[in-house]
Amino acid sequence: MESGSLQGLLDEYAELEDQLADPSVHADQARARKLGRRYAELSPVVKTLNELNAARSDLAAAKELAAEDETFAEEADELAERIPALESRLTELLLPRDPYDSADVVMEIKSGEGGEESALFAGDLLRMYLRYAERRGWKAEVLDSTESDLGGYKDVTVSIKSKGSEAVVDGVWARLKFEGGVHRVQRVPATESQGRIHTSAAGVLIYPEPEEVEVEIDPNDLRIDVFRSSGPGGQSVNTTDSAVRVTHLPTGIVVSCQNEKSQIQNRARAIQVLQARLQALAEEEAAAKAADARRSQVRTVDRSERVRTYNFPENRISDHRVNYKAYNLDQVLDGELDGVLDALQSADREERLADAQS
């Protein structure tokens, strides 16, 4: 990244620090959370950049002093080895981020091929995610479910949220976003009397929960008409043209207000109502986009589209996207998911780094 861009980040960081120190900012929790999240994103960047600049400065000084005192030569060598690691760390921190990484999630688990055995496995997956959420200190809530005859789930929807109102950089979505796909199980089903191993599947759909969408209205997008207020039977409420009709030209939404005493009050109230309606419209569009992402994750709950296999006879879990394999399936199903999730995040980070360098 060019020095000018880095300086821009330093300036933004200092400005955020000033804003967050202002008590009035925290009166608006949504704004404070947004500023806090950006501050948290930039903090490791600024810390690493400062360490890198200090190391470069110290290296230059050590090299200069080494000409007179050999003890500084060793320090110079140590600094020269440290600088590439800091440069690599900074490059990684400056990679484009997933805009939803701080978001909470909604997860759906659906049984697929395998009948009752698939529904029982869907129940196992649900318990796995609930236990993982508990380990992380997240709040999980089952929103809707359809149980099967043997106590499994034909489908279940769960909300998973990070606790507290503080800004987080890496929220639930950052950790669980790669879970979407077909999960396959190989085991002897409870319904199998011959002891044969069966294969069945369940689908996991996960998408970020839309946050509040902030709507800004461009005054140029408004047409404001003033007219005389009217009461019952068409009678004039007053003799001034105080009623206001506001038309939002891009969407065609029209809001009228005539209940306030003055034109200024009616105009303010009409725009407030317009903002609320645009807010709802924006949230619907955000939810629709999230639903599109959800549908793209699993076209059908088909074993051929598997992302992960849970093999009970071998106590093995395999994630086929990153060639991850471990023999601790019992622990994973008890919520110890960090091993496979770390592998997925590491692979994603390496891919993004390769894209940035190509």
Side-chain angles (χ1 to χ4, degrees):
M1 190 176 225
E2 296 179 359
S3 58
S5 299
L6 289 173
Q7 185 57 51
L9 290 179
L10 291 173
D11 293 341
E12 182 185 358
Y13 184 77
E15 184 178 346
L16 287 168
E17 208 163 32
D18 289 341
Q19 288 180 300
L20 289 169
D22 182 354
S24 65
V25 168
H26 297 273
D28 183 344
Q29 289 190 356
R31 183 183 174 216
R33 190 163 54 248
K34 183 178 180 181
L35 294 174
R37 185 180 301 132
R38 180 59 175 162
Y39 183 80
E41 286 178 3
L42 291 181
S43 291
V45 176
V46 172
K47 181 176 182 291
T48 304
L49 181 58
N50 288 338
E51 289 180 7
L52 178 59
N53 288 336
R56 286 170 174 169
S57 177
D58 291 346
L59 176 60
K63 284 182 175 179
E64 187 175 332
L65 293 170
E68 302 174 2
D69 186 342
E70 291 183 358
T71 58
F72 286 101
E74 184 177 344
E75 182 182 345
D77 290 341
E78 291 177 357
L79 288 166
E81 290 180 4
R82 186 177 174 224
I83 286 174
L86 288 170
E87 290 174 336
S88 177
R89 170 70 173 153
L90 182 61
T91 299
E92 184 179 310
L93 288 169
L94 291 171
L95 290 174
R97 291 182 56 83
D98 183 332
Y100 294 110
D101 271 351
S102 61
D104 297 323
V105 306
V106 172
M107 173 183 284
E108 297 179 29
I109 305 172
K110 297 178 178 292
S111 64
E113 295 182 7
E116 280 293 342
E117 163 60 6
S118 176
L120 289 169
F121 177 51
D124 292 336
L125 291 177
L126 172 65
R127 284 186 290 275
M128 177 182 76
Y129 290 122
L130 292 179
R131 287 171 180 166
Y132 183 68
E134 185 179 358
R135 288 173 183 268
R136 299 284 297 197
W138 295 336
K139 179 183 177 182
E141 179 185 4
V142 174
L143 303 177
D144 187 35
S145 64
T146 304
E147 295 187 19
S148 68
D149 293 337
L150 296 181
Y153 289 92
K154 294 180 180 179
D155 60 76
V156 57
T157 303
V158 57
S159 163
I160 306 178
K161 300 176 180 288
S162 56
K163 288 184 178 178
S165 58
E166 71 279 359
V168 293
V169 179
D170 291 330
V172 183
W173 174 256
R175 198 62 178 152
L176 294 183
K177 62 184 173 182
F178 302 111
E179 289 304 285
V182 175
H183 295 237
R184 182 177 69 167
V185 62
Q186 295 172 326
R187 64 183 176 188
V188 178
T191 55
E192 170 59 54
S193 59
Q194 303 297 320
R196 293 174 297 185
I197 295 173
H198 284 224
T199 298
S200 59
V204 174
L205 306 162
I206 186 165
Y207 47 100
E209 202 167 309
E211 289 189 12
E212 252 183 57
V213 182
E214 295 182 4
V215 175
E216 293 185 4
I217 299 176
D218 185 343
N220 294 325
D221 289 340
L222 301 180
R223 187 179 72 231
I224 299 177
D225 300 309
V226 178
F227 58 97
R228 181 158 296 181
S229 301
S230 59
Q235 289 184 327
S236 176
V237 174
N238 53 44
T239 58
T240 61
D241 294 331
S242 61
V244 174
R245 180 186 299 110
V246 177
T247 304
H248 187 247
L249 300 175
T251 61
I253 294 175
V254 179
V255 178
S256 298
C257 186
Q258 63 176 9
N259 293 332
E260 304 296 340
K261 293 181 179 180
S262 72
Q263 184 183 125
I264 293 176
Q265 291 173 320
N266 278 324
R267 174 185 172 127
R269 180 61 178 150
I271 290 178
Q272 185 180 5
V273 172
L274 175 62
Q275 284 178 316
R277 292 181 63 178
L278 289 173
Q279 173 87 8
L281 181 63
E283 288 176 351
E284 287 175 10
E285 291 175 350
K289 287 180 181 178
D292 288 341
R294 160 184 170 273
R295 284 191 293 270
S296 70
Q297 289 179 54
V298 183
R299 292 189 295 278
T300 59
V301 183
D302 186 319
R303 291 194 298 266
S304 65
E305 295 185 347
R306 69 190 185 279
V307 295
R308 191 176 296 157
T309 296
Y310 303 73
N311 185 294
F312 276 70
E314 298 179 17
N315 197 35
R316 168 173 52 84
I317 179 171
S318 305
D319 195 288
H320 308 291
R321 296 163 294 182
V322 291
N323 296 319
Y324 175 89
K325 187 180 294 185
Y327 293 87
N328 64 338
L329 178 57
D330 54 338
Q331 297 173 22
V332 169
L333 290 173
D334 194 42
E336 294 187 16
L337 272 166
D338 282 331
V340 63
L341 296 181
D342 286 344
L344 289 162
Q345 282 192 323
S346 178
D348 174 65
R349 185 167 54 249
E350 290 175 6
E351 183 178 342
R352 289 186 294 120
L353 192 58
D355 290 342
Q357 294 172 343
S358 63

